[in-house]
Amino acid sequence: MSKVFAKKSFGQNFLRDEGVISHIVSEISPKPGENLVEIGPGLGALTEPVADLTDHITVIELDRELAEKLRHHPFIHEKLDVVEEDALRADFGRFRTDDRKLRIYGNLPYNISTQLLFHLMDFESDISDMTFMLQREVVDRLTGAVSTADYGRLTVMIQYHFRAEKLFDVSPESFIPAPKVWSSIVRLTPLEEKPAVAKDEKFMGIMVRDAFNLRRKTIRNSLGAFVTGDELENLGYDPRLRAENLSVSDFVKISNFAFDKKASNPEG
């Protein structure tokens, strides 16, 4: 391919370290016949070695110049279905055309990664697994533990839907241009059975968002729009706790109580 320069507006950093690329592809472990979807293939650093191990990949690329180059790739173009689209608006459900769930992977642009992860939650039932390169700080949040600084809204919502596993770190020197931060590879696998099920996931998501918007406040205050201090105590929670002290199951329990309360008193 002719030389292509990274576009800052697209948050592009092209992976160049062959050892890292090989390690990522090994973790993806693609096989012929699988329903593979790559987000942001860029110059094809992951696309080419994955294509060598499989027969078809759907690649989603917003950059028109890069999408065109992939359509005319000298070696693998026949294996690619190039979708020139914004992944943040993509209906990933349409890529599941049969009973094969999606295996999604990619080096995600860091400026949209959190938004994209929230978008992908809507397609949990269509996904087999996802393997992503993300900013290390984001991966630490995805895999964060209760009562730590990394634990927040993204942690709770991701861990409600997926098992998050950090695989390994990647240094800035592995990219062109080199970003100012370290990256990490994470695998997200939909939970076969949730430890607790929300009666209304959207309602729970709003409650979790509000709780962490006021994360320095006690849950008596940060969850005040949903439950009272007395109600929290009756549910078995100390109102002096903070949002970061509540597990995913705790948030589900409280949101289900608040949802039932609202349903029984819609004017309240």
Side-chain angles (χ1 to χ4, degrees):
M1 292 188 187
S2 59
K3 192 169 185 179
V4 176
F5 294 96
K7 297 180 176 68
K8 189 173 182 180
S9 60
F10 286 163
Q12 293 172 340
N13 297 92
F14 299 128
L15 188 59
R16 66 171 181 173
D17 187 310
E18 293 296 332
V20 171
I21 292 168
S22 178
H23 196 172
I24 296 172
V25 174
S26 176
E27 291 289 355
I28 297 170
S29 189
K31 296 175 178 62
E34 292 181 330
N35 196 345
L36 291 155
V37 177
E38 181 174 1
I39 299 175
L43 296 176
L46 294 176
T47 319
E48 293 175 5
V50 169
D52 287 341
L53 298 171
T54 189
D55 45 14
H56 179 266
I57 310 171
T58 298
V59 295
I60 304 173
E61 178 55 66
L62 179 60
D63 187 319
R64 180 175 299 177
E65 181 183 5
L66 294 177
E68 190 64 17
K69 287 184 178 295
L70 289 166
R71 289 191 186 96
H72 297 92
H73 193 288
F75 308 116
I76 62 171
H77 70 275
E78 293 183 352
K79 294 185 176 183
L80 304 183
D81 177 13
V82 181
V83 179
E84 192 176 318
E85 189 173 347
D86 184 349
L88 284 172
R89 295 179 173 82
D91 175 9
F92 283 84
R94 82 176 195 267
F95 301 130
R96 183 182 176 185
T97 56
D98 50 33
D99 61 350
R100 296 175 303 161
K101 291 189 176 185
L102 309 177
R103 301 200 65 217
I104 306 175
Y105 68 96
N107 173 18
L108 300 189
Y110 294 165
N111 58 345
I112 65 162
S113 61
T114 299
Q115 292 173 268
L116 187 53
L117 289 168
F118 274 104
H119 180 59
L120 288 165
M121 289 178 204
D122 293 336
F123 303 97
E124 174 193 359
S125 62
D126 296 309
I127 294 169
S128 174
D129 68 322
M130 302 188 290
T131 305
F132 291 136
M133 170 106 69
L134 296 165
Q135 186 175 335
R136 185 166 63 180
E137 176 184 315
V138 174
V139 173
D140 288 344
R141 287 162 56 200
L142 296 180
T143 58
V146 177
S147 299
T148 66
D150 291 323
Y151 190 80
R153 176 194 177 202
L154 182 61
T155 321
V156 172
M157 298 312 299
I158 280 289
Q159 292 184 12
Y160 175 76
H161 291 280
F162 304 99
R163 179 169 64 88
E165 178 188 5
K166 181 177 178 178
L167 302 178
F168 61 94
D169 293 327
V170 181
S171 72
E173 290 71 29
S174 300
F175 301 87
I176 298 176
K180 296 179 180 179
V181 296
W182 276 69
S183 305
S184 295
I185 308 300
V186 65
R187 179 182 293 125
L188 301 173
T189 308
L191 296 172
E192 292 184 7
E193 186 174 342
K194 291 178 171 60
V197 179
K199 294 184 177 181
D200 188 302
E201 290 181 15
K202 185 176 180 181
F203 181 86
M204 173 187 161
I206 293 170
M207 192 188 81
V208 171
R209 180 199 65 194
D210 288 1
F212 283 101
N213 279 346
L214 297 171
R215 67 179 298 150
R216 294 184 181 276
K217 302 286 187 180
T218 64
I219 56 175
R220 181 194 302 274
N221 295 309
S222 64
L223 296 179
F226 303 91
V227 288
T228 67
D230 288 343
E231 288 169 339
L232 285 167
E233 289 185 341
N234 290 336
L235 288 170
Y237 298 103
D238 184 342
R240 294 171 297 180
L241 294 173
R242 290 180 171 77
E244 66 191 40
N245 304 128
L246 299 177
S247 70
V248 176
S249 295
D250 291 334
F251 274 110
V252 173
K253 181 179 178 180
I254 296 170
S255 74
N256 284 347
F257 172 83
F259 181 76
D260 286 343
K261 184 175 75 167
K262 183 177 180 182
S264 64
N265 184 23
E267 302 300 323

